[in-house]
Amino acid sequence: MHTIRLMSRTQASDRLQVLTIEDDATIGRHLQAGLQGNGYDAYWRRTGGGGLTLARESPPDVVLLDLGLPDIDGVEVARILRAEQPNLLIIILTARTDEIDVVVGLDAGADDYLVKPFNLTVLLARLRAHLRRRPVVGTDTEPIRVADLVVDIAARRCLVRDREIDLRPKEFELLVALARHPGVALTREDLMAQVWDENWFGSTKTLDVTMAALRRRLSEAVPPPNGPDGLELPKITTLRGHGYRLELPSPT
Ligand code: CA
């Protein structure tokens, strides 16, 4: 998680490093000035290639990523960054109104998005919200067990018997939020608050995309109806107009 990196930062500068990858000079300059003026170490590259190079040389805490870049598609940059730096916070900046771009970007590993033009105050609030300490890290020492699913919060691992399911940070946190209250209906707002932030004021599309990814990873690990060896994974039920519930296994 981002917080772990922050706590382990020991070099002279404890300012958070934000890399902006954006070819629009007006936006780039605006972000540079705004971020520097608000206590961040800000860096700016105008191409995907330049951004990736800098991110490898000096891994940032946050990347603000334009989707429409001159050399590499921003979605591809997000995918590469996510693969190379799993704990990096990636926020997409998109001028496109087409929601597909946002969905594809989030699926490629971005954590959040802002639609241009956006207010600097909004960006700074989002950054603070994301970088605030996540409640889910290391607070439970006992793994949570629901049917054959084991969620080990301290180790940040999700296991089905001995098989590990590889989840992205937000997918894991979403599963934790559900698994802490199996059989209980959780509202979308509850989940957004627990997994993202209580002051979240973005779209809840992020929740839908992350939920879809979580379900996909679980079903790939144990294909329905019960997969090999009679493994039983709790199902995530969608409650229309309300939220979600992790189903307790039916008694046998
Ligand atoms: Ca652009």
Side-chain angles (χ1 to χ4, degrees):
M1 283 310 298
H2 319 305
T3 44
I4 291 169
R5 279 206 50 194
L6 306 190
M7 290 189 299
S8 67
R9 189 177 286 275
T10 52
Q11 55 268 53
S13 167
D14 59 357
R15 286 155 67 102
L16 292 171
Q17 299 187 355
V18 182
L19 167 61
T20 302
I21 307 177
E22 164 67 78
D23 61 319
D24 184 306
T26 306
I27 296 172
R29 271 196 295 270
H30 178 61
L31 286 175
Q32 278 297 102
L35 290 165
Q36 292 282 11
N38 282 276
Y40 293 94
D41 274 344
Y43 304 87
W44 173 29
R45 289 294 181 272
R46 297 177 68 157
T47 61
L52 285 172
T53 301
L54 184 60
R56 286 167 184 150
E57 286 169 358
S58 173
D61 298 290
V62 182
V63 169
L64 304 177
L65 177 63
D66 178 33
L67 284 185
L69 293 166
D71 56 338
I72 313 172
D73 191 288
V75 169
E76 186 55 26
V77 176
R79 193 169 286 123
I80 295 168
L81 284 171
R82 176 56 69 226
E84 294 181 357
Q85 299 178 41
N87 296 323
L88 178 65
L89 174 60
I90 303 173
I91 299 179
I92 288 172
L93 308 176
T94 177
R96 305 176 197 176
T97 48
D98 192 342
E99 290 193 330
I100 289 294
D101 291 323
V102 171
V103 171
V104 170
L106 292 170
D107 219 30
D111 298 283
D112 194 5
Y113 68 97
L114 285 169
V115 176
K116 292 189 271 191
F118 54 84
N119 190 308
L120 183 67
T121 312
V122 171
L123 169 66
L124 293 171
R126 286 283 180 91
L127 282 179
R128 283 194 300 273
H130 277 289
L131 297 168
R132 201 170 294 149
R133 178 150 174 67
R134 296 260 81 89
V136 82
V137 181
T139 50
D140 296 28
T141 48
E142 281 295 303
I144 301 169
R145 291 167 200 279
V146 185
D148 285 316
L149 180 71
V150 176
V151 184
D152 187 339
I153 297 171
R156 287 195 78 84
R157 298 176 79 192
C158 171
L159 299 157
V160 179
R161 291 198 191 153
D162 294 333
R163 268 178 289 174
E164 178 146 21
I165 303 178
D166 191 25
L167 299 176
R168 289 184 178 140
K170 288 299 179 204
E171 296 159 8
F172 182 80
E173 289 173 28
L174 186 55
L175 180 61
V176 168
L178 291 163
R180 276 182 171 150
H181 307 282
V184 174
L186 299 172
T187 66
R188 297 175 63 83
E189 292 72 27
D190 280 347
L191 292 168
M192 292 300 296
Q194 285 183 54
V195 177
W196 282 270
D197 183 80
E198 62 205 20
N199 300 314
W200 181 268
F201 43 89
S203 159
T204 59
K205 177 162 289 299
T206 312
L207 171 61
D208 297 319
V209 171
T210 307
M211 183 65 79
L214 173 60
R215 280 176 160 152
R216 193 169 59 242
R217 288 180 205 278
L218 292 177
S219 72
E220 281 168 2
V222 182
N226 281 327
D229 320 322
L231 280 174
E232 192 177 14
L233 279 194
K235 279 195 267 305
I236 301 169
T237 300
T238 303
L239 307 166
R240 282 183 87 74
H242 184 81
Y244 297 93
R245 180 177 59 221
L246 188 71
E247 301 294 350
L248 285 163
S250 46
T252 49

